[in-house]
Amino acid sequence: MNQEMKTKKKRLGALDICILVAILLCIFGVAARMVFRDNSVMAQDTKLDTYTVHFTVSDIRSTSEKFLKDGKEFYLHETGEYFGVLVGDPSTQYAKKLYVDMYGNTVEVDNNTDEEGLSRSDVAGTFQVSATMGENGFLMLNGNRVIAPNQEIQIRSRELFINIKITSIAKAG
């Protein structure tokens, strides 16, 4: 009976120690963010300039062309981050397919069918984007993503999802 009356000593277990360490790390992290927030690269204001991005889209449905109009805003597909606004209506032409015949000759065939939904187009146009020139000489879209000529990017609007290929970039003047 004496043993039942005795109180057991409470010890810190491994789980208790892990919880205490996690709490201390959280407090340290918050304190560090408060102290170093003015020195952070993310906290500094970066001046974004306006750039003109020329692009092409190959072999899309002709019915998709109606969603590529002047002033339409597009976003990066992966992150949903703002990409830019379409400037002017893009130029379109029949999509071209390249085939190689049995003699090794390259044959170019236009997809110029009149059937709804089967007609395909190639599109070329221009976006106006906000970007800055990074320290390493790369153009940074919205200050945080590298874009360059010959790069393929997936973008979307409310109605359309497309893969564009950047053909050139110039500072808007």
Side-chain angles (χ1 to χ4, degrees), residues 7-130:
T7 58
K8 292 185 179 181
K9 283 188 178 181
K10 293 190 177 189
R11 292 193 208 172
L12 286 177
L15 182 60
D16 297 327
I17 292 173
C18 288
I19 292 171
L20 288 174
V21 168
I23 291 172
L24 290 174
L25 286 175
C26 288
I27 292 171
F28 177 73
V30 169
R33 284 177 59 107
M34 296 302 256
V35 170
F36 297 118
R37 73 175 169 207
D38 293 334
N39 297 333
S40 170
V41 173
M42 298 297 279
Q44 294 176 0
D45 292 329
T46 54
K47 184 173 179 331
L48 298 177
D49 294 319
T50 302
Y51 287 85
T52 303
V53 175
H54 300 277
F55 71 94
T56 60
V57 180
S58 298
D59 198 30
I60 64 170
R61 286 186 183 164
S62 295
T63 55
S64 298
E65 293 172 19
K66 66 182 175 185
F67 301 113
L68 293 170
K69 296 294 179 196
D70 184 33
K72 192 71 161 167
E73 293 181 344
F74 280 82
Y75 301 86
L76 295 174
H77 177 65
E78 312 90 47
T79 61
E81 186 179 352
Y82 182 72
F83 177 72
V85 62
L86 200 56
V87 178
D89 291 338
S91 63
T92 60
Q93 62 184 7
Y94 292 121
K96 298 183 181 337
K97 291 283 187 183
L98 298 176
Y99 298 98
V100 178
D101 64 11
M102 65 181 157
Y103 302 111
N105 299 323
T106 303
V107 179
E108 186 177 284
V109 178
D110 288 341
N111 180 351
N112 56 1
T113 182
D114 291 331
E115 290 185 48
E116 183 80 21
L118 295 179
S119 181
R120 309 291 287 180
S121 296
D122 290 339
V123 178
T126 306
F127 277 104
Q128 189 173 30
V129 301
S130 296

Side-chain angles (χ1 to χ4, degrees), residues 46-49 51 130-134 138-144:
T46 54
K47 184 173 179 331
L48 298 177
D49 294 319
Y51 287 85
S130 296
T132 185
M133 190 63 69
F138 291 115
L139 191 66
M140 306 292 286
L141 178 69
N142 299 324
N144 59 9

Side-chain angles (χ1 to χ4, degrees), residues 112-171:
N112 56 1
T113 182
D114 291 331
E115 290 185 48
E116 183 80 21
L118 295 179
S119 181
R120 309 291 287 180
S121 296
D122 290 339
V123 178
T126 306
F127 277 104
Q128 189 173 30
V129 301
S130 296
T132 185
M133 190 63 69
E135 294 174 5
N136 51 10
F138 291 115
L139 191 66
M140 306 292 286
L141 178 69
N142 299 324
N144 59 9
R145 179 188 168 117
V146 175
I147 59 172
N150 292 324
Q151 182 180 14
E152 291 191 13
I153 299 176
Q154 295 178 332
I155 60 172
R156 62 179 165 82
S157 67
R158 285 196 119 157
E159 303 87 10
L160 186 64
F161 170 78
I162 54 175
N163 292 327
I164 65 167
K165 182 175 185 177
I166 298 174
T167 55
S168 67
I169 302 173
K171 190 166 186 174

